[in-house]
Amino acid sequence: MSATFDLTRHLQTRKLEQVVENRTAYTIDTAELNIYETHHFAEKVELTFNTPVLASMIRGKKVMHLPNTPSFEFLPGESVIMPANETMCIDFPEARMQNPTQCLALAMAPDKVKQLTDYLNDKAPLIDQKKGWQFDESNFYLTNDSTINQLIARLIQIFTENNTAKDVFANLVMQELVIRLMQTKARQMLLMNYHPYVNTNRLAHVGKYIQDRLHEQMTVKELADQACMSEPNFFRCFKQQFGLTPIEYINNQRIQQAMRLLKTTNQCLADVCFVCGFNNVTYFLKLFKKTTGITPAQFRKTYRQLQLG
């Protein structure tokens, strides 16, 4: 999900001294928010932080080359988590004075991150994962959801304003951001890329069970039985680990499937609705618009217009 972050306060005060990765840093006691701007084509620009870092694109396009990861285009609305002391190698194929690339990098104190993961491992331990909650053990590339975008936008506002309590505000927002990023990572690993874990992790098994039966009606009790857990315990653990309820996740996956069908087929909206497991067209239309911001018909029309150029 793309987002437009407000850099008005930053742009009013920052000094533009370099055309490639001009850096402006805003610092509090436990973190540093860096905003980088590039106004010129460049390749193989290296960047390393000695603390865990969340990098999020604001404007333009980069091509990222990270250790043990295939190169990928980095676009607005996307983020990557990097462990400490790992080097990013970055290309800027489209950066120009009239079309600058803008990116933020939030570097966080390792002891602050560890304090939070230790707390979660004590209060909300993960199911069938010996390592427990981990924020920065490896690179993790994600598309921001609306909540993560809102938290990043709030951090930009806090870091760039002149408020004597900004350390307190920023730490509270960062705490939520770290948790939601770890939940996003868990969803992607266990529910969406479940194959390596399906025989060793009960929630990964549930993820496969859901994907195999998206077109069918499912209950929380049915999923809890698959996980060999009581219904209340399964519901609580699922929401703690993934940041949403089982039914919310199922509906999210059905909407994703509907989007694919709207792109690739000429099926009418009612057929798409029923194929994806919804049994009420009105509810499907309402949920689709709530999730994407537009109706299914508008989504299909916009996609086809883009395909025609």
Side-chain angles (χ1 to χ4, degrees), residues 22-293:
N22 186 80
R23 171 177 172 264
T24 306
Y26 303 92
T27 304
I28 63 169
D29 58 343
T30 58
E32 182 177 79
L33 180 72
N34 302 276
I35 296 180
Y36 290 92
E37 300 171 72
T38 295
H39 292 75
H40 194 276
F41 171 87
E43 292 182 321
K44 298 180 180 179
V45 178
E46 294 189 348
L47 194 60
T48 307
F49 291 85
N50 59 9
T51 64
V53 64
L54 169 72
S56 293
M57 280 297 290
I58 300 172
R59 175 178 174 176
K61 180 175 79 172
K62 295 181 179 182
V63 178
M64 300 286 281
H65 310 278
L66 307 180
N68 306 311
T69 303
S71 299
F72 60 92
E73 291 187 351
F74 197 28
L75 302 171
E78 299 175 343
S79 295
V80 62
I81 299 170
M82 291 283 292
N85 301 311
E86 282 208 2
T87 299
M88 315 177 205
C89 186
I90 310 168
D91 301 335
F92 301 84
E94 298 177 358
R96 303 290 186 271
M97 287 302 296
Q98 298 79 15
N99 184 37
T101 296
Q102 296 170 335
C103 178
L104 69 83
L106 177 67
M108 293 169 278
D111 57 343
K112 187 70 176 178
V113 175
K114 186 176 185 303
Q115 180 184 9
L116 182 55
T117 54
D118 286 349
Y119 175 82
L120 290 173
N121 284 321
D122 180 51
K123 300 297 183 182
L126 298 179
I127 301 297
D128 299 336
Q129 287 184 269
K130 293 181 179 179
K131 287 185 177 181
W133 291 97
Q134 299 283 333
F135 177 70
D136 62 336
E137 62 177 354
S138 60
N139 302 332
F140 174 56
Y141 166 64
L142 68 146
T143 299
N144 303 339
D145 61 23
S146 59
T147 302
I148 289 175
N149 275 331
Q150 290 166 9
L151 292 170
I152 293 172
R154 178 67 179 133
L155 282 175
I156 293 173
Q157 179 185 17
I158 292 170
F159 271 91
T160 57
E161 70 181 352
N162 186 21
N163 190 307
T164 56
K166 72 177 184 178
D167 285 45
V168 177
F169 298 150
N171 279 307
L172 289 171
V173 176
M174 282 193 300
Q175 178 172 295
E176 181 179 353
L177 178 61
V178 168
I179 292 173
R180 290 190 180 274
L181 288 168
M182 289 191 293
Q183 290 173 332
T184 301
K185 185 175 183 180
R187 288 199 305 272
Q188 186 164 315
M189 181 176 73
L190 294 178
L191 295 182
M192 302 172 71
N193 301 309
Y194 47 75
H195 296 93
Y197 314 100
V198 72
N199 294 321
T200 58
N201 187 286
R202 283 173 284 174
L203 295 183
H205 169 73
V206 170
K208 182 178 186 304
Y209 187 87
I210 290 171
Q211 291 299 326
D212 290 345
R213 293 163 178 81
L214 271 182
H215 60 286
E216 301 176 6
Q217 298 304 304
M218 287 174 275
T219 66
V220 175
K221 184 181 185 310
E222 179 183 350
L223 300 178
D225 289 344
Q226 288 294 317
C228 300
M229 299 168 68
S230 70
E231 186 175 345
N233 189 37
F234 169 77
F235 185 92
R236 182 177 64 255
C237 290
F238 192 102
K239 188 170 184 181
Q240 284 177 343
Q241 186 155 340
F242 301 126
L244 71 179
T245 69
I247 299 304
E248 287 171 341
Y249 175 72
I250 290 170
N251 283 338
N252 178 274
Q253 291 304 294
R254 287 173 172 164
I255 293 298
Q256 294 298 317
Q257 185 182 35
M259 291 166 67
R260 289 191 292 270
L261 291 175
L262 290 167
K263 288 179 179 179
T264 59
T265 75
N266 291 318
Q267 289 179 292
C268 69
L269 297 184
D271 287 345
V272 170
C273 166
F274 297 126
V275 166
C276 293
F278 294 104
N279 56 15
N280 183 294
V281 175
T282 301
Y283 177 70
F284 164 65
L285 297 175
K286 181 179 179 181
L287 186 63
F288 191 99
K289 186 170 183 179
K290 180 181 177 182
T291 304
T292 66

